[in-house]
Amino acid sequence: MVSSSHEAMHRIFQEYPGLFSRVSEVLGVEIGPPASATVMPTDLTENRPLERRVDTLLRIDMEDDQSYLLAIEAQGKKDPDKPASWMYYLSYLQAKYKLPPMLLVVCQDRATAEWAARPFPVGHPQSPVLTLQALVAGPHNMPVITEVAEARKDLALATLAAITHAGDPDIGAILKTLSTALRDVPETIADPIVELTAQGLGNRPAAQQWRNLVAVDLSFYKSSLSEEIRDEGRAEGRSEGRSEGIARSILLLLAQAGVDVSEEARERITGCTDLDVLSRWLLRAPAAASVEDVFAEE
């Protein structure tokens, strides 16, 4: 799994092309839902040494037979040279495809997002010949989704919102909402969202929170992230002893679920060496409302 949060911020639109119509509403520019969308080649290089590539390029076809090109760029920091590249992309696309281009810049940093949203003029200050005005999605304008019902209405938008708020103080609540919304969702739908979210969080502390939530709330979906979590669990079990590793997992799951564990219960869990019993407790832990639920029928 590629760990670049940069890639996740634009790849999500490849996976869910209709997402842009909902993002545009958030940004105050209502672009209707597409009839179809096609992922286009991202290489904008001409027959010269300078290579230029846009992060993601989609052709959006509307039901009224109108079409446009959507260039999506993930921007991690301010770059004074980038607006010139964006202008090149847009003029090149207009000339090559004879379709109106749009530019969406996705950011995880508020200062970068506000910078990217500024108009960038080209030409003499008193008479600019061109002005670039990108649409920008970032922590300054994407919704903070902490209601499960709202997340379930649009899982793709909820995923993008979580990625853009990766550094938000409330990211724990945001991720918990998303993982809860994914419960009982078919794996074919949940898997790409699990992976994109992990990828989008990159190396931030929130990435470990998401891994824990995947383990607790999503019952180890058969995604590459889930397999990685399993592998880590096996490695931990080998290094610390199988029973000790399972006991630690039980306590971690209970802590993640907010279940209070008394010292007596903690000692019962950590002192147990019966792997069958520990396995039963481990299976009960994610759904337990109290520590007594873990010990039921023992």
Side-chain angles (χ1 to χ4, degrees), residues 75 77-87 112 115-116 118 120-122 132:
Q75 192 66 26
K77 61 182 180 180
K78 298 177 184 179
D79 182 351
D81 296 327
K82 202 64 178 181
S85 295
W86 292 337
M87 291 181 189
T112 301
W115 164 82
R118 289 166 39 198
F120 292 97
V122 170
L132 173 72

Side-chain angles (χ1 to χ4, degrees), residues 43-277:
D43 190 346
L44 308 183
T45 307
E46 297 187 64
N47 294 326
R48 55 183 178 177
L50 184 61
E51 181 179 289
R52 299 179 186 270
R53 292 180 185 272
V54 66
D55 287 339
T56 285
L57 179 62
L58 301 176
R59 173 182 171 138
I60 306 293
D61 299 310
M62 309 295 285
E63 292 191 356
D64 59 3
D65 295 328
Q66 297 295 313
S67 300
Y68 64 94
L69 298 174
L70 176 62
I72 303 165
E73 287 278 287
Q75 192 66 26
K77 61 182 180 180
K78 298 177 184 179
D79 182 351
D81 296 327
K82 202 64 178 181
S85 295
W86 292 337
M87 291 181 189
Y88 171 87
Y89 298 162
L90 298 173
S91 60
Y92 177 88
L93 292 171
Q94 177 77 50
K96 180 175 182 178
Y97 293 105
K98 302 297 188 293
L99 291 173
M102 298 186 71
L103 173 64
L104 174 67
V105 181
V106 185
C107 306
Q108 292 175 299
D109 173 71
R110 185 183 186 92
T112 301
E114 292 176 344
W115 164 82
R118 289 166 39 198
F120 292 97
V122 170
H124 192 281
Q126 295 183 13
S127 181
V129 293
L130 292 172
T131 300
L132 173 72
Q133 184 71 69
L135 292 173
V136 179
H140 68 306
N141 59 9
M142 290 299 289
V144 175
I145 300 177
T146 55
E147 296 293 333
V148 174
E150 183 181 357
R152 282 178 174 155
K153 288 179 182 177
D154 195 329
L155 289 171
L157 180 62
T159 302
L160 179 65
I163 291 172
T164 56
H165 287 289
D168 194 292
D170 294 328
I171 187 60
I174 294 170
L175 294 176
K176 177 62 177 176
T177 298
L178 181 58
S179 67
T180 302
L182 289 174
R183 288 177 182 172
D184 303 321
V185 170
E187 288 189 28
T188 53
I189 296 174
D191 282 354
I193 290 177
V194 169
E195 299 297 332
L196 279 167
T197 304
Q199 187 180 40
L201 296 173
N203 295 322
R204 291 173 172 80
Q208 186 57 50
Q209 291 179 271
W210 181 244
R211 297 169 73 85
N212 293 340
L213 288 167
V214 170
V216 175
D217 288 345
L218 303 183
S219 302
F220 289 101
Y221 276 133
K222 297 175 183 178
S223 63
S224 59
L225 176 63
S226 301
E227 293 295 341
E228 189 177 330
I229 293 173
R230 285 194 194 93
D231 290 343
E232 289 177 357
R234 295 188 188 106
E236 182 179 351
R238 285 192 296 270
S239 64
E240 299 180 1
R242 292 184 66 189
S243 60
E244 185 178 354
I246 295 174
R248 287 189 60 189
S249 296
I250 294 169
L251 293 173
L252 176 63
L253 293 173
L254 291 173
Q256 188 67 50
V259 174
D260 183 46
V261 179
S262 66
E263 189 60 34
E264 181 183 355
R266 184 179 298 273
E267 291 178 0
R268 181 177 178 183
I269 293 171
T270 57
C272 181
T273 57
D274 188 322
L275 293 178
D276 289 337
V277 172

